[in-house]
């Protein structure tokens, strides 16, 4: 395509998920697509006085898809603990420390 003033234009398909990821923060939403948990925590921390601290480097690499409200640290923590991706080892009110989930002991005859 060529514009009226002679400059080249191009058309690119729009990926709605990618667009939501790029612009969602303007509407108070953060969208993550296979993003490591550590990166998500860092982004969530930008929008909240309460901070997420990841104590285990292995869980920081866990990829997650999701949409979260900016500043909703408690909602994010609830998700990762509900899905057993991490566990809370400390909550001081200003910091929440996430560590590796405890290993299941079911099936050990106990």
């Amino acid at each position: 395509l060529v514009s009226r003033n002679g400059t080249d234009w191009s058309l690119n398909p729009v990926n709605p998920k990618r667009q939501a990821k790029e612009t969602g923060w303007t509407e108070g939403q953060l969208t993550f697509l296979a993003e490591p948990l550590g990166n998500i925590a860092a982004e969530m921390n930008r929008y909240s006085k309460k901070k997420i601290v990841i104590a285990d480097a292995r869980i920081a690499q866990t990829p997650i898809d999701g949409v979260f409200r900016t500043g909703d640290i408690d909602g994010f923590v609830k998700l990762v603990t509900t899905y057993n991706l991490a566990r809370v080892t400390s909550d001081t009110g200003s910091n929440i420390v996430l560590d590796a989930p405890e290993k299941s002991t079911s099936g050990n005859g106990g």
Side-chain angles (χ1 to χ4, degrees):
L1 296 175
V2 178
S3 71
R4 288 184 188 195
N5 66 4
T7 60
D8 290 336
W9 286 357
S10 64
L11 296 175
N12 295 314
V14 174
N15 179 330
K17 288 182 181 179
R18 178 63 64 194
Q19 184 177 4
K21 179 176 173 37
E22 300 298 327
T23 62
W25 65 271
T26 62
E27 297 175 12
Q29 292 186 332
L30 300 174
T31 301
F32 301 100
L33 305 169
E35 191 79 26
L37 190 146
N39 292 5
I40 296 172
E43 188 67 15
M44 295 291 289
N45 286 345
R46 291 181 57 203
Y47 298 93
S48 178
K49 290 182 181 181
K50 189 174 195 177
K51 304 300 181 191
I52 301 168
V53 178
I54 309 269
D56 186 311
R58 293 173 298 158
I59 66 166
Q61 297 304 314
T62 304
I64 296 177
D65 293 346
V67 178
F68 305 97
R69 286 191 323 268
T70 54
D72 187 11
I73 298 294
D74 293 328
F76 174 74
V77 169
K78 184 175 182 177
L79 175 119
V80 298
T81 57
T82 298
Y83 285 97
N84 203 33
L85 301 172
R87 65 186 168 102
V88 174
T89 57
S90 173
D91 185 346
T92 66
S94 59
N95 290 315
I96 295 179
V97 178
L98 297 178
D99 207 339
E102 294 182 4
K103 294 185 179 183
S104 173
T105 57
S106 63
N108 291 339

